[in-house]
Amino acid sequence: MTQSFDEMNGTGGELRSAYKIVKDWLEGTPPDLMRQRAREAEMLFRRIGITFAVYGDNQAEERIIPFDIVPRILTGGEWRAMSAGLEQRVRALNLFLADIYGPGEILKAGVIPPALIYQNTYFRPEMVGIKVPHGIYTPVCGIDIVRVDADTFYVLEDNLRTPSGVSYMLENREVTMRLFPDLFSEHTIEPVEQYPNELLATLQSLAPASAPREPTVVLLSPGPFNSAFYEHSFLADRLGVELVEGRDLFVLDDKVYMRTTEGPHQVDVIYRRLDDDFLDPLAFRPDSVLGVPGLISAYRAGNVAVANAMGTGVADDKAVYTYVPEIIRFYLGEEPILHNVPTWRCREPDSLAYVLDHLPELVVKMVSGSGGYGMLVGPTATKAEIEDFRAKLKSNPDEFIAQPTLALSTCPTFVGEGVAPRHVDLRPFVLAGSNGIRTVPGGLTRVALKEGSLVVNSSQGGGTKDTWVLVS
Amino acid sequence: MLLSRVAADLYWLARYVERAENTARLLDVASRLSSLPTTYAGSTNEWESAMTATGGNFLFDQRYDEANRRNVIDFLAFSRENPSSIASCLATARHSARSVRTAITREMWEVINDAWLELKRHSVDAMTPRQLAEFLAFVKDACLRLDGFAYRTMLRTDAHAFYNLGTFIERGDATARILDVKYHVLLPEGDTVGGGLDYFQWTSILRAASALTAYQWVFRDALRSWRVAELLTLRKELPRSIVNCSENTLWFLDKLANDYGRQGPAQRSARAYHASLANSSVEAIYREGLHEFLQRVIRENNAVGDAIEAQYLR
């Protein structure tokens, strides 16, 4: 693997100007004080109860995601290019969803193989022909971005279902401001605290025409046992909307109501943090007790908006991901501003041949896999593993894509002994309402705390950082 | 307007915290009495009567052979099989608090969450009398702080009313139970309490209701059994008296009816219950029989609770 780009020190050790003050601060702060601040930060998170549940682990039934106290910094210019790319991408993906659940022009034009859509696990036949409120399928998106050098940001993954992490973006900022007010005042940093307000405006903009002027918005959560429950309650609180569970809602005459101390109250917009499968036992999984029977029928009748819409998973799976550049060109007639990680589709014979020739240097992923399951990391795999995978690839090439092993950028990170570079990614959040598409400057930076590790997932020892976008 | 489930969680959050505090008081009293020479404390098993006061006999007998110190502390403080143990109460309360984070204040959440984190550091096997006292002080302190934060930080909306309804329904029930356990030592005549044994039994009741000094201030008199009963049932000055609880319950129900513009069965049953107490006298209670009176109070208080659930919480 080539040497990684460091966001503070570049590749050759030249200090990048955005990090000037932070570098001085890091060098001028004794490790003991850093350690103390790190402990204070952890205590703040634990007291506030910013925890996530780990399934099947009773002893530590709630953990906190490690927070790294060194902020990550993006310049205003970097952010402007990225956000333009994010908005473009989300605009195109919404047109794509409206198309595949409607006329299917992109399939007829031969841009994407129909089987990739219609045989996709996440394709929801129930959504075909439904008029989605204001044509917005994905009001809330989280797009995962990785950086490989000073100028190149790649989209790693689109999250168009129920992306989480935004509460960490907001709380990380709060904690950093509390711990390092001086450092903060020496920079001019774009705020992120308006996110809940923007989210509420986005959700309200989706309300059915029949809804009152101040529509009733609720956040639908699977409940306190869900790993992201903290985020659900945090957001409901900041939005000032009711945090509901499936049992709080019922459907009567194709309208959705919540049970309140003053009797039934009609609901106009549901921001759901519950997967498609569990939303409505009448439409999807009949054994789900988390959902609301009849919800889809009320949705179809146009009496309630659901964010995000059902069936958006078909646009964020790994196979469709490889087509997003074509999707952008097809619907917008524009060149993509943000690029995908170069990807070989093994379903195409030329690509397959290349991949088979270069297995030791590539990462090969199953189209339907997630969380690192069913994956080959060429550079670290044994000969036997590679040969094993070669056989799998040959027998079922459609199921795989391959990518080069990326040298993710690193950021200075406080680890036990001191400050050291660690690999990071970024999840900015994009909001799409009938009143436009917008982003909040920043996002959730995830950091792989283990030296050399590229795995940033919180379930595998990843942490988070506050992400600053400088105004300049 | 409040989600019914949220109102229910607030109501039960308050009930469970109140229950944890009452159980802590009962254990405190048992521990104090058991440390006295038998000439003062008598041969009654204080541990057993603490357990009986919580209404846990049936569950206890299924799990333990003997109502000794260790078993009762385990059952009332730590057992997760006993839904009313301090540990269960605090865990349930935290679960309720966590699922209604948006309806309580940050301060309230932090008290509950801290108590729950602290709880894990204690176990029955390490309970010397001193450690038990510290543990019980911690529990009472956490409950008081939650109450204090609810009073000082909650918006005076319906959420606050449901929280308080839980407190007062549970508190009225607890006071009636504490008194009922000792009803056999309450003499019907207006006698001064005689002898060391009686004296400590009486003060234990007052301590369990946090009313020992209050007695002196209200009556300025030596301990008399009927006055203890009067204090805990009919005196409005005492915050934990049954009539005080019924009055507060009615007050918060009336506030809800006013806010929502609608009266219902809960208001009617609370009004009748409170009127029967407010119009009663200690003589009438003795005519009815203290035990019979207390059993009726527990029943009617529960009926108000049921009516609240039916009207608002489902």
Side-chain angles (χ1 to χ4, degrees), chain B residues 112-138:
Chain B
I112 289 271
N113 195 37
D114 286 352
W116 181 77
L117 293 169
E118 169 75 16
L119 187 66
K120 294 179 175 171
R121 306 199 308 112
H122 300 273
S123 85
V124 66
D125 296 312
M127 283 293 142
T128 62
R130 184 194 157 84
Q131 274 161 328
L132 178 66
E134 281 172 5
F135 171 74
L136 297 174
F138 141 70

Side-chain angles (χ1 to χ4, degrees), chain B residues 4-310:
Chain B
S4 298
R5 176 181 53 82
V6 171
D9 274 328
L10 286 167
Y11 172 82
W12 283 105
L13 162 64
R15 283 198 74 159
Y16 275 110
V17 169
E18 183 69 26
R19 193 171 297 177
E21 192 199 334
N22 284 317
T23 305
R25 281 181 202 291
L26 286 168
L27 279 173
D28 214 9
V29 168
S31 181
R32 183 179 287 272
L33 280 177
S34 70
S35 67
L36 290 172
T38 44
T39 42
Y40 294 99
S43 55
T44 52
N45 182 341
E46 283 314 318
W47 297 106
E48 183 167 18
S49 75
M51 189 265 294
T52 308
T54 68
N57 294 53
F58 180 72
L59 211 55
F60 184 89
D61 291 342
Q62 287 181 325
R63 282 163 181 77
Y64 304 87
D65 303 334
E66 191 193 344
N68 56 25
R69 179 180 185 275
R70 188 194 180 283
N71 287 348
V72 170
I73 292 176
D74 185 50
F75 180 71
L76 291 186
F78 299 106
S79 168
R80 297 304 293 267
E81 291 179 345
N82 174 9
S84 294
S85 73
I86 291 170
S88 296
C89 283
L90 291 181
T92 311
R94 180 182 181 272
H95 183 76
S96 293
R98 189 163 175 263
S99 55
V100 295
R101 276 285 295 266
T102 57
I104 59 175
T105 60
R106 191 156 181 147
E107 289 87 349
M108 292 171 73
W109 163 254
E110 287 182 357
V111 170
I112 289 271
N113 195 37
D114 286 352
W116 181 77
L117 293 169
E118 169 75 16
L119 187 66
K120 294 179 175 171
R121 306 199 308 112
H122 300 273
S123 85
V124 66
D125 296 312
M127 283 293 142
T128 62
R130 184 194 157 84
Q131 274 161 328
L132 178 66
E134 281 172 5
F135 171 74
L136 297 174
F138 141 70
V139 173
K140 285 185 283 186
D141 185 58
C143 299
L144 281 172
R145 288 199 302 136
L146 182 74
D147 240 23
F149 278 128
Y151 181 70
R152 297 186 78 133
T153 63
M154 269 187 113
L155 287 175
R156 269 27 178 193
T157 57
D158 43 2
H160 181 253
F162 284 107
Y163 179 86
N164 276 283
L165 285 172
T167 302
F168 288 110
I169 292 281
E170 183 70 26
R171 191 173 292 172
D173 183 74
T175 302
R177 283 179 197 280
I178 287 167
L179 202 50
D180 196 31
V181 167
K182 301 280 187 190
Y183 81 94
H184 57 276
V185 299
L186 288 169
L187 308 167
E189 305 87 36
D191 291 345
T192 310
V193 178
L197 189 150
D198 271 5
Y199 177 82
F200 285 104
Q201 292 289 351
W202 281 105
T203 56
S204 76
I205 296 173
L206 290 169
R207 273 184 210 282
S210 193
L212 185 55
T213 39
Y215 181 95
Q216 310 297 348
W217 282 102
V218 171
F219 296 111
R220 299 180 183 283
D221 188 8
L223 281 185
R224 291 171 195 280
S225 58
W226 59 278
R227 287 199 148 162
V228 172
E230 182 189 354
L231 182 66
L232 293 186
T233 55
L234 301 181
R235 292 300 289 238
K236 286 188 181 172
E237 300 96 311
L238 187 78
R240 310 189 82 86
S241 74
I242 292 168
V243 73
N244 200 301
C245 294
S246 70
E247 185 175 24
N248 277 288
T249 301
L250 178 60
W251 193 88
F252 282 106
L253 278 170
D254 277 343
K255 180 175 187 302
L256 281 177
N258 197 37
D259 288 357
Y260 293 167
R262 202 181 305 165
Q263 295 261 351
Q267 279 80 10
R268 284 193 290 278
S269 98
R271 200 173 314 285
Y273 168 58
H274 177 61
S276 80
L277 289 168
N279 298 328
S280 191
S281 63
V282 75
E283 293 76 18
I285 290 175
Y286 278 113
R287 272 200 305 279
E288 183 178 350
L290 184 61
H291 176 63
E292 287 70 21
F293 167 79
L294 291 169
Q295 287 298 316
R296 182 165 62 80
V297 159
I298 291 170
R299 227 172 24 247
E300 289 178 6
N301 186 54
N302 272 339
V304 176
D306 290 346
I308 291 170
E309 291 207 44

